[in-house]
Amino acid sequence: MAEFNSIRSTTRSDSSINIDSGLRAHMNKVYGLMAVAMVITGLVAWSIGTSPQLVGALFSNSIISLIVMFAPLGFVFFLSARVMNMSYSAGQLSFWLFSALMGLSLSTIFVVYTGASIANAFFTTAIAFGAMSLFGYTTKKDLSGMGRFLFMGVIGLIVAMVINWFTQSPGLEFAINVLGVLIFAGLTAYDTQNIKNTYLSIRSTPNGEEIAAKAGILGALSLYINFLNMFMFLLQFMGNRE
């Protein structure tokens, strides 16, 4: 009996080790995808934004400006709907193409804000993002309820931004920037936990590793969007304009 209990304990321990190592590898892949996307976005934004001729060519034409502004949103919907039906390499390539389009959209920040402000906002975002993602990964608390509340907060934030588009209220703009940082910081923790739980729930299903890898692209996309939104709200909040 003692030998049986020892074998059962050893088997359970080995299974736990396998899950932990698989989870770590999966999360590293997700963060790696996100990191590459951030590098692509930064390089495209910097190369366009620091060239007045390119900025003028892109944004002087209203039709091209609208395409540059709304193409990334279309890609988000496309990826969310289709990535599970793609091959992993096609989904990865689509994600990186989306990040390049985001770089085009964000290139104007190099015209509007000082380089020091952009750097400060980026590093502040990186620290906050890392802390909230670590919290989401390690906490034993179920964050699903917080996630639903934060999604409603995003809707309220969009409504407030539309209102402020017409009113141009400095007070409302300040509130939007502060709430935006807090909401997307919370979503970073929620999405990190969701990525972790999704992997653990599907890894043992048929073709589980392949499905988990594709789901990881969506996870990287959600974390990427959270990071960029935190960065933009922080930049508007603390940035010095040119």
Side-chain angles (χ1 to χ4, degrees):
M1 184 66 178
E3 291 179 0
F4 173 76
N5 287 335
S6 177
I7 293 172
R8 185 173 62 178
S9 176
T10 301
T11 302
R12 185 182 301 150
S13 177
D14 290 343
S15 176
S16 177
I17 291 171
N18 289 335
I19 290 175
D20 288 344
S21 62
L23 177 61
R24 283 195 297 271
H26 178 72
M27 295 302 296
N28 286 338
K29 186 179 292 186
V30 169
Y31 288 125
L33 283 170
M34 177 196 163
V36 172
M38 292 299 306
V39 169
I40 293 172
T41 299
L43 288 175
V44 172
W46 177 81
S47 61
I48 300 295
T50 54
S51 171
Q53 294 84 1
L54 288 175
V55 173
L58 276 175
F59 295 98
S60 60
N61 185 295
S62 58
I63 295 177
I64 296 177
S65 296
L66 288 174
I67 293 173
V68 170
M69 288 173 60
F70 291 104
L73 182 61
F75 248 89
V76 169
F77 288 120
F78 171 77
L79 274 173
S80 300
R82 298 295 300 167
V83 72
M84 300 305 292
N85 297 319
M86 298 179 179
S87 67
Y88 178 79
S89 58
Q92 185 182 62
L93 182 61
S94 297
F95 178 37
W96 288 339
L97 180 57
F98 159 74
S99 67
L101 287 173
M102 281 300 303
L104 288 177
S105 296
L106 295 176
S107 60
T108 54
I109 66 173
F110 289 94
V111 177
V112 177
Y113 296 95
T114 65
S117 292
I118 294 171
N120 287 338
F122 179 83
F123 287 115
T124 302
T125 302
I127 293 170
F129 176 89
M132 294 307 296
S133 192
L134 180 63
F135 170 74
Y137 182 79
T138 57
T139 184
K140 302 298 183 183
K141 182 180 180 181
D142 182 9
L143 302 180
S144 57
M146 183 180 78
R148 288 189 291 271
F149 174 77
L150 290 171
F151 285 130
M152 290 189 291
V154 170
I155 295 173
L157 198 63
I158 293 172
V159 172
M161 291 170 69
V162 171
I163 292 173
N164 199 47
W165 178 272
F166 297 100
T167 62
Q168 296 295 309
S169 167
L172 182 56
E173 181 179 3
F174 175 83
I176 288 171
N177 291 332
V178 173
L179 289 174
V181 171
L182 295 176
I183 287 171
F184 284 100
L187 282 173
T188 296
Y190 165 79
D191 285 330
T192 301
Q193 186 180 80
N194 190 49
I195 294 167
K196 173 183 174 181
N197 291 340
T198 298
Y199 174 79
L200 294 175
S201 66
I202 64 179
R203 69 181 300 275
S204 59
T205 61
N207 300 320
E209 291 295 337
E210 179 183 354
I211 297 171
K214 294 178 182 178
I217 296 175
L218 291 177
L221 175 64
S222 63
L223 292 179
Y224 169 91
I225 291 172
N226 291 340
F227 187 102
L228 279 189
N229 277 292
M230 287 175 63
F231 167 72
M232 289 304 299
F233 283 119
L234 271 173
L235 184 60
Q236 293 174 74
F237 176 64
M238 59 187 290
N240 295 318
R241 297 177 180 267
E242 293 280 10

